[in-house]
Amino acid sequence: MNHAIISCLHANLPAAEAVLNDIDRQGIDTITCLGDLVGYGPQPNEVVELIRKRGIATCQGCWDEDIIDGLNACECSYPSQLAERRGHLAHQWTDDQLTDENKSFLASLPTSLRRDRLLFVHGSPNSQHEYLLPDMDAFAALERVETAGADILFCGHTHQPYVRELRDGSIRVRLQNADHGNDQGEELTLPMRKIVNAGSVGEPRHGSTNATYVIHNDATDEVEIKEVAYDVGRTCQAIVEAGLPKVFAWRLSHGFEFAEQAEDASHVCER
Amino acid sequence: MIERWALVSGLRGDLETYDLIQRDLKKTRGVTALFVLGDLVGPERNCDALLDRLKNPHRGDLKPDCIYGWWEEQLLAERGFRGERKADALRLSQGEDAVSALLNTVNPSHLKWLASLQFGFIELDCALIHGSSSDVGDNLTSETSPLILLDRLTRLNVNRLFTARSTKQFHLELTGGGINSQVKDLNGKREQQQEVPKRSVIGIGAGLNYTLYDIGSDKTHFLTAGSKTNPKGKGFA
Ligand SMILES: [Zn+2]
Ligand SMILES: [Zn+2]
Protein backbone atom coordinates (compact mmCIF):
# COMPACT_ATOMS: atom_id res chain seq x y z
CA MET A 1 0.00 0.00 0.00
CA ASN A 2 1.24 3.48 -0.82
CA HIS A 3 1.40 6.08 1.89
CA ALA A 4 2.65 9.66 1.74
CA ILE A 5 5.10 11.47 4.00
CA ILE A 6 5.22 15.26 4.13
CA SER A 7 7.45 17.59 6.17
CA CYS A 8 8.37 21.21 6.79
CA LEU A 9 5.18 22.95 5.67
CA HIS A 10 6.40 26.19 7.26
CA ALA A 11 3.15 28.12 7.19
CA ASN A 12 2.99 28.04 3.40
CA LEU A 13 -0.70 27.38 2.71
CA PRO A 14 -0.66 27.33 -1.11
CA ALA A 15 2.15 24.74 -1.06
CA ALA A 16 0.40 22.61 1.59
CA GLU A 17 -2.87 22.64 -0.36
CA ALA A 18 -1.14 21.76 -3.62
CA VAL A 19 0.68 18.79 -2.07
CA LEU A 20 -2.41 17.45 -0.33
CA ASN A 21 -4.34 17.74 -3.62
CA ASP A 22 -1.59 15.84 -5.40
CA ILE A 23 -1.75 13.07 -2.77
CA ASP A 24 -5.55 12.95 -2.91
CA ARG A 25 -5.52 12.67 -6.69
CA GLN A 26 -3.53 9.43 -6.36
CA GLY A 27 -6.06 7.97 -3.96
CA ILE A 28 -3.57 7.79 -1.09
CA ASP A 29 -5.29 8.16 2.25
CA THR A 30 -2.50 7.50 4.77
CA ILE A 31 -0.43 10.63 5.27
CA THR A 32 2.23 11.23 7.91
CA CYS A 33 3.62 14.67 8.62
CA LEU A 34 7.11 15.14 10.10
CA GLY A 35 6.50 18.56 11.64
CA ASP A 36 7.58 22.18 11.14
CA LEU A 37 4.02 23.26 10.43
CA VAL A 38 5.04 26.85 11.20
CA GLY A 39 8.00 29.21 10.88
CA TYR A 40 9.28 31.35 7.94
CA GLY A 41 5.89 31.41 6.20
CA PRO A 42 2.92 33.80 6.44
CA GLN A 43 -0.03 31.53 7.30
CA PRO A 44 0.77 29.52 10.45
CA ASN A 45 -2.81 29.27 11.76
CA GLU A 46 -4.23 28.23 8.39
CA VAL A 47 -1.65 25.47 7.93
CA VAL A 48 -2.04 24.10 11.48
CA GLU A 49 -5.82 24.10 11.03
CA LEU A 50 -5.59 22.32 7.70
CA ILE A 51 -3.52 19.52 9.28
CA ARG A 52 -5.88 19.32 12.28
CA LYS A 53 -8.99 19.27 10.08
CA ARG A 54 -7.58 16.46 7.95
CA GLY A 55 -6.51 14.52 11.04
CA ILE A 56 -3.01 13.93 9.66
CA ALA A 57 -0.72 12.06 12.06
CA THR A 58 2.08 14.52 12.83
CA CYS A 59 5.24 14.63 14.89
CA GLN A 60 6.69 17.78 16.34
CA GLY A 61 9.26 19.74 14.34
CA CYS A 62 12.03 22.02 15.56
CA TRP A 63 9.97 25.15 14.92
CA ASP A 64 6.88 23.65 16.56
CA GLU A 65 8.99 22.81 19.61
CA ASP A 66 10.56 26.25 19.81
CA ILE A 67 7.19 28.00 19.60
CA ILE A 68 6.04 25.98 22.60
CA ASP A 69 9.25 25.95 24.67
CA GLY A 70 10.44 29.42 23.79
CA LEU A 71 13.63 30.09 21.91
CA ASN A 72 16.05 28.27 24.13
CA ALA A 73 17.35 26.21 21.25
CA CYS A 74 21.10 26.24 21.11
CA GLU A 75 22.62 27.95 18.07
CA CYS A 76 22.81 24.61 16.26
CA SER A 77 19.32 25.26 14.89
CA TYR A 78 20.73 27.90 12.61
CA PRO A 79 23.45 27.60 10.02
CA SER A 80 24.79 31.09 10.68
CA GLN A 81 24.34 34.07 12.99
CA LEU A 82 22.56 36.03 10.31
CA ALA A 83 20.17 33.14 9.83
CA GLU A 84 19.70 33.07 13.58
CA ARG A 85 18.68 36.75 13.73
CA ARG A 86 16.17 36.28 10.93
CA GLY A 87 14.97 33.11 12.61
CA HIS A 88 14.32 35.07 15.81
CA LEU A 89 12.27 37.64 13.90
CA ALA A 90 10.17 34.93 12.29
CA HIS A 91 9.81 33.19 15.62
CA GLN A 92 8.47 36.33 17.29
CA TRP A 93 6.08 37.00 14.44
CA THR A 94 4.77 33.41 14.44
CA ASP A 95 4.42 33.45 18.21
CA ASP A 96 2.27 36.60 17.99
CA GLN A 97 0.06 35.20 15.24
CA LEU A 98 -0.68 31.68 16.48
CA THR A 99 -3.89 31.17 18.44
CA ASP A 100 -3.68 29.51 21.85
CA GLU A 101 -5.63 26.56 20.51
CA ASN A 102 -3.15 26.01 17.69
CA LYS A 103 -0.23 26.40 20.09
CA SER A 104 -1.61 23.71 22.36
CA PHE A 105 -2.07 21.48 19.32
CA LEU A 106 1.65 21.92 18.51
CA ALA A 107 2.50 21.24 22.16
CA SER A 108 0.53 17.98 22.03
CA LEU A 109 2.52 16.54 19.13
CA PRO A 110 4.79 13.52 19.82
CA THR A 111 8.48 13.67 18.92
CA SER A 112 8.20 10.42 16.98
CA LEU A 113 5.62 8.09 15.46
CA ARG A 114 6.14 4.40 14.87
CA ARG A 115 4.28 1.96 12.62
CA ASP A 116 5.79 -1.51 12.79
CA ARG A 117 9.29 -1.21 11.33
CA LEU A 118 8.79 2.38 10.17
CA LEU A 119 9.86 5.27 12.37
CA PHE A 120 8.88 8.87 11.71
CA VAL A 121 10.80 11.80 13.23
CA HIS A 122 11.48 15.42 12.35
CA GLY A 123 15.30 15.72 12.58
CA SER A 124 16.70 12.48 13.98
CA PRO A 125 15.68 10.04 16.70
CA ASN A 126 18.02 12.00 19.02
CA SER A 127 16.66 15.47 18.50
CA GLN A 128 14.29 17.58 16.42
CA HIS A 129 17.31 19.77 15.74
CA GLU A 130 19.79 17.22 14.41
CA TYR A 131 20.34 17.26 10.64
CA LEU A 132 20.64 13.91 8.89
CA LEU A 133 22.26 15.13 5.69
CA PRO A 134 22.47 12.79 2.69
CA ASP A 135 26.28 12.56 2.87
CA MET A 136 26.75 12.26 6.61
CA ASP A 137 29.03 9.47 7.87
CA ALA A 138 27.34 6.23 6.80
CA PHE A 139 28.01 4.40 10.08
CA ALA A 140 26.64 7.29 12.12
CA ALA A 141 23.57 7.38 9.86
CA LEU A 142 23.04 3.65 10.33
CA GLU A 143 23.49 4.03 14.08
CA ARG A 144 20.57 6.48 14.20
CA VAL A 145 18.23 4.01 12.48
CA GLU A 146 19.51 0.93 14.30
CA THR A 147 19.52 2.41 17.83
CA ALA A 148 15.95 3.56 17.26
CA GLY A 149 15.00 -0.02 16.40
CA ALA A 150 13.66 0.79 12.93
CA ASP A 151 14.14 -0.64 9.43
CA ILE A 152 13.26 2.60 7.70
CA LEU A 153 13.67 6.02 9.25
CA PHE A 154 11.61 8.88 7.78
CA CYS A 155 12.92 12.34 8.57
CA GLY A 156 12.76 15.94 7.34
CA HIS A 157 14.41 19.11 8.67
CA THR A 158 17.10 19.40 5.96
CA HIS A 159 14.54 20.51 3.33
CA GLN A 160 16.37 18.31 0.81
CA PRO A 161 14.58 15.09 -0.12
CA TYR A 162 16.61 11.92 -0.52
CA VAL A 163 16.54 8.15 -0.08
CA ARG A 164 19.64 6.57 1.40
CA GLU A 165 20.23 2.86 1.49
CA LEU A 166 22.92 1.57 3.87
CA ARG A 167 24.01 -1.99 3.15
CA ASP A 168 26.74 -4.66 3.20
CA GLY A 169 28.09 -3.15 6.38
CA SER A 170 30.44 -4.84 8.81
CA ILE A 171 32.72 -3.85 11.66
CA ARG A 172 35.62 -5.98 12.90
CA VAL A 173 36.71 -5.59 16.51
CA ARG A 174 39.48 -7.01 18.67
CA LEU A 175 40.08 -6.79 22.39
CA GLN A 176 43.58 -5.71 23.35
CA ASN A 177 44.97 -7.52 26.41
CA ALA A 178 41.89 -9.68 26.83
CA ASP A 179 41.98 -12.13 29.73
CA HIS A 180 41.17 -15.16 27.60
CA GLY A 181 42.81 -15.22 24.18
CA ASN A 182 40.38 -13.26 22.07
CA ASP A 183 43.08 -12.11 19.72
CA GLN A 184 41.26 -13.34 16.62
CA GLY A 185 38.65 -10.65 17.01
CA GLU A 186 35.05 -10.73 15.91
CA GLU A 187 33.10 -9.37 13.00
CA LEU A 188 29.71 -7.77 13.34
CA THR A 189 27.54 -7.89 10.26
CA LEU A 190 25.40 -4.78 10.02
CA PRO A 191 21.80 -4.90 8.84
CA MET A 192 20.51 -3.13 5.75
CA ARG A 193 18.61 0.02 6.65
CA LYS A 194 17.08 3.02 4.88
CA ILE A 195 16.76 6.71 5.63
CA VAL A 196 14.09 8.59 3.71
CA ASN A 197 14.07 12.37 3.88
CA ALA A 198 10.73 13.85 2.82
CA GLY A 199 12.17 17.22 1.80
CA SER A 200 9.98 20.25 2.35
CA VAL A 201 6.48 21.22 1.32
CA GLY A 202 6.65 24.89 2.26
CA GLU A 203 10.32 25.86 2.06
CA PRO A 204 12.18 23.66 -0.42
CA ARG A 205 15.97 23.96 -0.63
CA HIS A 206 16.79 21.33 -3.22
CA GLY A 207 17.42 23.69 -6.10
CA SER A 208 13.89 24.12 -7.42
CA THR A 209 10.87 26.05 -6.18
CA ASN A 210 8.60 23.01 -6.28
CA ALA A 211 7.26 21.56 -3.06
CA THR A 212 8.56 18.05 -2.33
CA TYR A 213 7.24 15.03 -0.47
CA VAL A 214 7.67 11.24 -0.74
CA ILE A 215 5.51 8.18 -1.35
CA HIS A 216 6.54 4.87 0.17
CA ASN A 217 5.11 1.50 -0.75
CA ASP A 218 5.18 -0.63 2.36
CA ALA A 219 4.95 -3.88 0.37
CA THR A 220 7.85 -3.26 -2.04
CA ASP A 221 9.68 -0.62 0.04
CA GLU A 222 9.96 1.49 -3.08
CA VAL A 223 10.21 5.22 -2.44
CA GLU A 224 9.30 7.93 -4.90
CA ILE A 225 10.31 11.55 -4.42
CA LYS A 226 7.51 13.80 -5.70
CA GLU A 227 7.70 17.42 -6.82
CA VAL A 228 4.65 19.65 -6.95
CA ALA A 229 4.45 23.09 -8.50
CA TYR A 230 2.32 25.66 -6.65
CA ASP A 231 1.72 29.38 -6.73
CA VAL A 232 5.03 30.54 -5.23
CA GLY A 233 4.21 34.18 -6.04
CA ARG A 234 1.16 34.14 -3.80
CA THR A 235 3.16 32.99 -0.78
CA CYS A 236 6.01 35.41 -1.50
CA GLN A 237 3.58 38.31 -1.63
CA ALA A 238 1.98 37.24 1.64
CA ILE A 239 5.45 37.06 3.27
CA VAL A 240 6.24 40.63 2.24
CA GLU A 241 2.79 41.89 3.27
CA ALA A 242 3.14 40.26 6.68
CA GLY A 243 6.39 42.16 7.24
CA LEU A 244 8.49 39.00 7.49
CA PRO A 245 12.14 39.18 6.33
CA LYS A 246 12.13 39.56 2.52
CA VAL A 247 14.89 36.97 2.23
CA PHE A 248 12.32 34.28 3.04
CA ALA A 249 10.40 35.25 -0.09
CA TRP A 250 13.60 35.42 -2.11
CA ARG A 251 14.56 31.96 -0.88
CA LEU A 252 11.18 30.49 -1.80
CA SER A 253 11.43 31.91 -5.28
CA HIS A 254 14.90 30.33 -5.72
CA GLY A 255 14.45 27.04 -3.93
CA PHE A 256 17.73 26.90 -2.08
CA GLU A 257 19.25 28.44 0.95
CA PHE A 258 21.87 30.84 -0.32
CA ALA A 259 25.27 30.25 1.32
CA GLU A 260 23.64 28.88 4.40
CA GLN A 261 24.62 25.29 4.82
CA ALA A 262 24.78 24.05 8.37
CA GLU A 263 28.38 24.56 9.51
CA ASP A 264 28.51 21.47 11.71
CA ALA A 265 25.80 19.11 10.65
CA SER A 266 26.96 16.40 13.02
CA HIS A 267 26.47 18.64 16.04
CA VAL A 268 23.95 17.22 18.46
CA CYS A 269 21.94 19.67 20.50
CA GLU A 270 22.44 18.65 24.16
CA ARG A 271 19.93 20.87 25.84
CA MET B 1 61.54 7.44 26.79
CA ILE B 2 58.17 6.05 27.71
CA GLU B 3 55.46 8.63 28.13
CA ARG B 4 52.33 7.39 29.82
CA TRP B 5 49.10 8.69 31.24
CA ALA B 6 47.38 7.45 34.36
CA LEU B 7 43.58 7.36 34.14
CA VAL B 8 41.43 7.14 37.24
CA SER B 9 37.71 7.40 37.93
CA GLY B 10 34.98 6.49 40.42
CA LEU B 11 36.81 7.56 43.57
CA ARG B 12 33.51 8.66 45.08
CA GLY B 13 35.07 10.43 48.02
CA ASP B 14 37.50 7.61 48.83
CA LEU B 15 40.71 9.40 49.81
CA GLU B 16 42.39 6.14 50.86
CA THR B 17 42.03 4.72 47.34
CA TYR B 18 43.35 7.92 45.84
CA ASP B 19 46.31 7.82 48.18
CA LEU B 20 47.11 4.23 47.16
CA ILE B 21 46.99 5.20 43.49
CA GLN B 22 49.30 8.17 44.08
CA ARG B 23 51.78 5.83 45.87
CA ASP B 24 51.63 3.38 42.95
CA LEU B 25 52.27 6.18 40.48
CA LYS B 26 55.32 7.37 42.41
CA LYS B 27 56.83 3.93 41.77
CA THR B 28 55.86 3.90 38.09
CA ARG B 29 58.17 5.10 35.34
CA GLY B 30 57.20 7.69 32.76
CA VAL B 31 53.81 8.88 34.05
CA THR B 32 53.46 12.44 32.83
CA ALA B 33 49.78 13.11 33.48
CA LEU B 34 47.02 11.97 35.80
CA PHE B 35 43.48 12.28 34.50
CA VAL B 36 40.56 11.82 36.88
CA LEU B 37 37.54 11.13 34.69
CA GLY B 38 34.73 12.06 37.02
CA ASP B 39 32.79 10.55 39.90
CA LEU B 40 35.04 12.27 42.40
CA VAL B 41 31.99 12.33 44.64
CA GLY B 42 29.39 9.75 45.56
CA PRO B 43 26.73 9.12 48.19
CA GLU B 44 28.60 6.56 50.34
CA ARG B 45 30.96 8.75 52.37
CA ASN B 46 31.96 12.32 53.04
CA CYS B 47 33.90 13.60 50.03
CA ASP B 48 35.37 16.82 51.40
CA ALA B 49 38.83 15.45 52.24
CA LEU B 50 39.30 13.94 48.77
CA LEU B 51 38.11 17.13 47.08
CA ASP B 52 40.56 19.15 49.19
CA ARG B 53 43.41 16.86 48.15
CA LEU B 54 42.45 17.02 44.46
CA LYS B 55 42.27 20.82 44.60
CA ASN B 56 45.45 21.17 46.66
CA PRO B 57 47.79 18.26 45.83
CA HIS B 58 50.30 17.12 48.45
CA ARG B 59 53.95 17.64 47.71
CA GLY B 60 55.02 14.65 45.62
CA ASP B 61 51.50 14.04 44.26
CA LEU B 62 51.13 13.78 40.53
CA LYS B 63 48.91 16.78 39.81
CA PRO B 64 45.44 15.59 38.81
CA ASP B 65 43.45 16.97 35.86
CA CYS B 66 39.77 16.39 36.67
CA ILE B 67 36.55 16.40 34.66
CA TYR B 68 33.05 15.90 36.01
CA GLY B 69 31.19 12.60 35.94
CA TRP B 70 27.69 11.26 36.44
CA TRP B 71 27.63 11.84 40.22
CA GLU B 72 28.88 15.42 39.90
CA GLU B 73 26.22 16.00 37.24
CA GLN B 74 23.51 14.81 39.66
CA LEU B 75 24.90 16.90 42.52
CA LEU B 76 25.29 20.05 40.43
CA ALA B 77 21.83 19.67 38.88
CA GLU B 78 20.20 19.25 42.29
CA ARG B 79 22.10 22.30 43.59
CA GLY B 80 20.74 24.46 40.75
CA PHE B 81 23.81 24.58 38.50
CA ARG B 82 22.04 23.05 35.49
CA GLY B 83 19.13 25.42 34.90
CA GLU B 84 15.75 23.78 35.34
CA ARG B 85 17.17 20.26 35.54
CA LYS B 86 17.45 18.49 38.90
CA ALA B 87 19.04 15.15 39.83
CA ASP B 88 16.30 13.40 37.87
CA ALA B 89 18.37 10.41 36.76
CA LEU B 90 19.47 9.64 40.34
CA ARG B 91 15.99 10.23 41.74
CA LEU B 92 14.52 7.89 39.15
CA SER B 93 17.04 5.10 39.64
CA GLN B 94 17.71 5.24 43.40
CA GLY B 95 15.01 7.35 44.99
CA GLU B 96 14.82 10.46 47.15
CA ASP B 97 17.06 9.08 49.92
CA ALA B 98 19.99 8.70 47.54
CA VAL B 99 19.58 12.33 46.48
CA SER B 100 19.72 13.63 50.05
CA ALA B 101 22.60 11.28 50.87
CA LEU B 102 24.57 12.75 47.97
CA LEU B 103 23.84 16.33 49.03
CA ASN B 104 25.14 15.55 52.52
CA THR B 105 28.49 14.19 51.39
CA VAL B 106 29.80 17.38 49.80
CA ASN B 107 30.27 20.69 51.55
CA PRO B 108 28.66 23.45 49.43
CA SER B 109 31.99 25.30 49.44
CA HIS B 110 33.21 22.75 46.84
CA LEU B 111 30.35 23.34 44.40
CA LYS B 112 31.89 26.26 42.55
CA TRP B 113 35.02 24.25 41.81
CA LEU B 114 33.01 21.18 40.76
CA ALA B 115 30.90 23.38 38.48
CA SER B 116 34.06 24.70 36.83
CA LEU B 117 35.16 21.21 35.73
CA GLN B 118 34.94 20.42 32.03
CA PHE B 119 32.87 17.73 30.33
CA GLY B 120 35.98 16.18 28.79
CA PHE B 121 39.50 16.66 27.47
CA ILE B 122 40.82 16.26 23.97
CA GLU B 123 44.50 15.30 24.15
CA LEU B 124 46.43 14.43 20.98
CA ASP B 125 43.91 12.34 19.02
CA CYS B 126 42.20 11.05 22.17
CA ALA B 127 39.01 12.09 23.93
CA LEU B 128 38.81 11.63 27.69
CA ILE B 129 35.20 11.71 28.89
CA HIS B 130 33.28 10.18 31.76
CA GLY B 131 30.60 8.64 29.51
CA SER B 132 30.75 9.80 25.90
CA SER B 133 30.03 12.87 23.82
CA SER B 134 26.45 11.67 23.70
CA ASP B 135 25.92 11.80 27.46
CA VAL B 136 27.89 11.88 30.70
CA GLY B 137 25.91 8.77 31.68
CA ASP B 138 26.61 6.86 28.44
CA ASN B 139 27.49 3.37 29.65
CA LEU B 140 29.99 2.00 27.11
CA THR B 141 31.51 -1.48 27.59
CA SER B 142 33.24 -4.05 25.39
CA GLU B 143 29.77 -5.56 24.89
CA THR B 144 28.30 -2.34 23.48
CA SER B 145 27.47 -2.59 19.78
CA PRO B 146 30.55 -1.59 17.75
CA LEU B 147 28.19 0.57 15.69
CA ILE B 148 27.47 2.68 18.77
CA LEU B 149 31.15 2.78 19.75
CA LEU B 150 32.07 3.94 16.26
CA ASP B 151 29.35 6.59 16.41
CA ARG B 152 30.71 7.96 19.69
CA LEU B 153 34.22 8.15 18.17
CA THR B 154 32.89 9.77 15.00
CA ARG B 155 30.98 12.46 16.88
CA LEU B 156 34.25 13.64 18.41
CA ASN B 157 36.43 12.85 15.40
CA VAL B 158 39.05 11.20 17.60
CA ASN B 159 40.96 7.93 17.24
CA ARG B 160 40.63 6.89 20.87
CA LEU B 161 37.88 7.43 23.42
CA PHE B 162 38.71 6.85 27.08
CA THR B 163 35.51 6.28 29.05
CA ALA B 164 34.77 5.52 32.69
CA ARG B 165 31.04 5.35 33.24
CA SER B 166 30.74 1.56 32.99
CA THR B 167 33.51 1.10 35.63
CA LYS B 168 34.84 -1.73 33.38
CA GLN B 169 38.38 -2.03 32.04
CA PHE B 170 38.70 -2.91 28.38
CA HIS B 171 40.51 -1.83 25.24
CA LEU B 172 38.42 -2.56 22.17
CA GLU B 173 39.94 -1.86 18.78
CA LEU B 174 37.97 -1.41 15.59
CA THR B 175 40.20 -3.18 13.10
CA GLY B 176 38.31 -3.24 9.81
CA GLY B 177 35.10 -3.50 7.87
CA GLY B 178 33.11 -1.10 5.77
CA ILE B 179 29.71 -0.11 4.45
CA ASN B 180 28.10 0.73 1.13
CA SER B 181 25.65 3.52 0.77
CA GLN B 182 23.48 4.61 -2.11
CA VAL B 183 21.84 8.01 -2.16
CA LYS B 184 18.99 8.77 -4.52
CA ASP B 185 17.66 12.29 -4.89
CA LEU B 186 16.07 14.38 -7.63
CA ASN B 187 19.47 14.63 -9.37
CA GLY B 188 19.93 10.87 -9.63
CA LYS B 189 21.79 8.14 -7.80
CA ARG B 190 25.28 7.97 -6.34
CA GLU B 191 27.17 5.20 -4.57
CA GLN B 192 29.64 5.60 -1.75
CA GLN B 193 31.92 3.18 0.03
CA GLN B 194 33.24 3.86 3.46
CA GLU B 195 35.77 1.93 5.51
CA VAL B 196 35.86 1.50 9.26
CA PRO B 197 38.61 3.77 10.57
CA LYS B 198 41.18 2.20 12.91
CA ARG B 199 39.97 3.52 16.22
CA SER B 200 39.45 2.26 19.75
CA VAL B 201 37.43 2.71 22.90
CA ILE B 202 39.11 2.20 26.27
CA GLY B 203 37.29 1.61 29.54
CA ILE B 204 39.56 2.80 32.35
CA GLY B 205 37.87 1.19 35.38
CA ALA B 206 36.88 2.73 38.70
CA GLY B 207 38.08 3.01 42.28
CA LEU B 208 41.20 0.90 42.88
CA ASN B 209 41.14 -0.29 39.26
CA TYR B 210 42.93 2.26 37.12
CA THR B 211 44.65 2.36 33.75
CA LEU B 212 48.05 3.32 32.41
CA TYR B 213 48.25 4.30 28.76
CA ASP B 214 51.54 4.34 26.83
CA ILE B 215 51.18 7.07 24.24
CA GLY B 216 53.94 5.96 21.90
CA SER B 217 53.01 2.30 21.63
CA ASP B 218 49.22 2.70 22.11
CA LYS B 219 49.29 0.07 24.88
CA THR B 220 47.03 0.02 27.90
CA HIS B 221 47.80 -1.58 31.26
CA PHE B 222 44.96 -2.35 33.63
CA LEU B 223 46.10 -2.15 37.23
CA THR B 224 44.75 -2.41 40.74
CA ALA B 225 46.19 0.04 43.24
CA GLY B 226 47.98 -1.41 46.24
CA SER B 227 48.22 -4.94 44.89
CA LYS B 228 51.76 -6.35 45.35
CA THR B 229 52.17 -7.40 41.73
CA ASN B 230 50.09 -6.06 38.93
CA PRO B 231 47.62 -8.52 37.39
CA LYS B 232 49.65 -9.24 34.26
CA GLY B 233 52.91 -9.61 36.16
CA LYS B 234 54.72 -7.39 33.68
CA GLY B 235 56.72 -5.06 35.97
CA PHE B 236 55.97 -1.35 35.78
CA ALA B 237 58.54 -0.18 38.28
ZN1 LIG C 1 11.83 22.66 8.47
ZN1 LIG D 1 13.27 21.65 11.32
Side-chain angles (χ1 to χ4, degrees):
Chain A
M1 189 196 71
N2 281 339
H3 63 115
I5 300 93
I6 61 177
S7 185
C8 296
L9 287 67
H10 286 297
N12 183 342
L13 187 65
E17 286 173 338
V19 164
L20 291 178
N21 284 339
D22 194 63
I23 295 170
D24 291 344
R25 254 202 310 279
Q26 298 165 78
I28 296 172
D29 49 19
T30 304
I31 305 173
T32 310
C33 173
L34 308 181
D36 275 3
L37 302 184
V38 303
Y40 302 124
Q43 287 168 295
N45 283 307
E46 291 83 343
V47 168
V48 172
E49 278 150 22
L50 177 64
I51 294 297
R52 289 175 61 191
K53 191 178 82 203
R54 301 254 328 216
I56 293 172
T58 300
C59 40
Q60 196 179 59
C62 60
W63 275 85
D64 311 324
E65 183 194 17
D66 286 349
I67 286 293
I68 306 312
D69 291 352
L71 260 188
N72 58 356
C74 87
E75 69 285 358
C76 64
S77 318
Y78 297 102
S80 71
Q81 283 183 357
L82 184 63
E84 184 173 353
R85 269 202 299 284
R86 289 196 299 257
H88 281 221
L89 258 169
H91 173 90
Q92 196 51 53
W93 185 88
T94 304
D95 195 33
D96 292 343
Q97 298 292 313
L98 270 179
T99 66
D100 287 346
E101 205 185 327
N102 285 334
K103 277 185 195 171
S104 46
F105 173 76
L106 294 181
S108 75
L109 296 174
T111 53
S112 68
L113 293 165
R114 191 182 288 269
R115 284 201 305 271
D116 303 322
R117 55 202 183 85
L118 313 182
L119 184 69
F120 304 86
V121 300
H122 177 69
S124 90
N126 292 335
S127 158
Q128 281 118 301
H129 292 264
E130 188 183 26
Y131 290 93
L132 298 185
L133 292 167
D135 297 317
M136 79 180 277
D137 182 280
F139 292 104
L142 182 65
E143 189 272 338
R144 300 296 184 278
V145 193
E146 196 47 15
T147 301
D151 285 2
I152 305 182
L153 176 68
F154 292 92
C155 60
H157 189 49
T158 68
H159 296 204
Q160 295 170 337
Y162 68 85
V163 184
R164 187 173 192 189
E165 206 174 277
L166 301 153
R167 61 183 141 68
D168 309 322
S170 68
I171 303 178
R172 275 197 302 281
V173 297
R174 188 178 60 205
L175 270 177
Q176 212 192 75
N177 56 19
D179 284 340
H180 19 262
N182 193 11
D183 290 337
Q184 300 303 310
E186 282 172 45
E187 178 162 314
L188 173 78
T189 304
L190 300 170
M192 202 276 267
R193 297 289 183 254
K194 244 182 211 172
I195 296 178
V196 178
N197 192 304
S200 174
V201 170
E203 225 251 351
R205 295 175 200 167
H206 62 289
S208 143
T209 57
N210 292 337
T212 61
Y213 72 99
V214 297
I215 294 175
H216 171 242
N217 184 303
D218 58 14
T220 63
D221 268 347
E222 235 150 276
V223 181
E224 195 185 347
I225 300 172
K226 305 286 280 188
E227 276 191 286
V228 182
Y230 71 98
D231 191 344
V232 183
R234 223 176 91 204
T235 303
C236 290
Q237 200 186 337
I239 286 174
V240 175
E241 282 168 8
L244 282 160
K246 285 197 180 71
V247 67
F248 295 160
W250 183 89
R251 209 154 69 181
L252 271 186
S253 59
H254 288 75
F256 67 97
E257 186 162 24
F258 176 66
E260 283 183 355
Q261 286 292 320
E263 275 154 22
D264 178 11
S266 65
H267 172 77
V268 178
C269 183
E270 286 183 44
R271 77 193 160 101
Chain B
M1 199 193 78
I2 309 172
E3 189 184 344
R4 43 169 71 128
W5 296 341
L7 299 127
V8 174
S9 181
L11 294 168
R12 295 164 73 155
D14 191 345
L15 179 59
E16 217 173 301
T17 295
Y18 182 64
D19 199 52
L20 281 172
I21 294 173
Q22 281 286 358
R23 279 172 208 222
D24 262 21
L25 296 180
K26 258 171 229 153
K27 290 180 275 177
T28 310
R29 271 189 300 124
V31 181
T32 54
L34 167 61
F35 296 106
V36 182
L37 303 191
D39 286 0
L40 324 173
V41 305
E44 298 92 352
R45 57 181 80 74
N46 185 283
C47 303
D48 294 334
L50 174 69
L51 293 176
D52 282 334
R53 173 87 170 262
L54 292 169
K55 284 154 80 175
N56 307 297
H58 283 181
R59 194 179 309 153
D61 273 3
L62 199 59
K63 198 185 132 314
D65 285 310
C66 305
I67 58 170
Y68 70 87
W70 190 83
W71 283 101
E72 285 77 39
E73 178 68 12
Q74 300 308 306
L75 175 68
L76 292 166
E78 192 64 21
R79 291 291 195 184
F81 284 81
R82 293 291 190 262
E84 308 253 292
R85 257 186 303 129
K86 294 282 168 214
D88 304 327
L90 175 59
R91 194 166 271 116
L92 205 68
S93 63
Q94 298 177 39
E96 201 56 51
D97 288 354
V99 177
S100 29
L102 177 63
L103 294 185
N104 286 329
T105 59
V106 180
N107 187 301
S109 64
H110 291 297
L111 291 173
K112 227 180 112 193
W113 180 73
L114 289 171
S116 74
L117 298 179
Q118 296 179 48
F119 179 72
F121 297 125
I122 303 284
E123 298 281 334
L124 309 173
D125 58 349
C126 305
L128 290 65
I129 297 185
H130 181 72
S132 80
S133 55
S134 159
D135 191 87
V136 70
D138 201 10
N139 190 20
L140 303 178
T141 72
S142 58
E143 312 290 310
T144 303
S145 162
L147 189 60
I148 290 175
L149 297 178
L150 181 51
D151 173 67
R152 301 304 188 257
L153 289 157
T154 305
R155 287 187 198 212
L156 291 157
N157 195 23
V158 292
N159 289 329
R160 273 166 288 276
L161 168 63
F162 292 84
T163 175
R165 171 69 181 147
S166 75
T167 74
K168 302 268 181 354
Q169 289 179 307
F170 62 91
H171 184 157
L172 192 82
E173 297 172 301
L174 308 179
T175 57
I179 191 167
N180 293 325
S181 132
Q182 185 196 67
V183 175
K184 183 181 92 175
D185 61 18
L186 288 163
N187 299 319
K189 274 183 195 175
R190 55 190 189 274
E191 299 274 346
Q192 293 167 328
Q193 263 114 38
Q194 203 181 313
E195 282 179 11
V196 174
K198 299 237 179 312
R199 291 179 167 182
S200 45
V201 177
I202 295 134
I204 65 155
L208 287 169
N209 298 323
Y210 69 100
T211 295
L212 290 180
Y213 176 67
D214 296 349
I215 297 165
S217 60
D218 188 33
K219 283 273 179 295
T220 43
H221 311 283
F222 298 136
L223 304 172
T224 301
S227 61
K228 292 246 156 35
T229 50
N230 69 70
K232 301 269 172 207
K234 285 176 195 158
F236 289 96

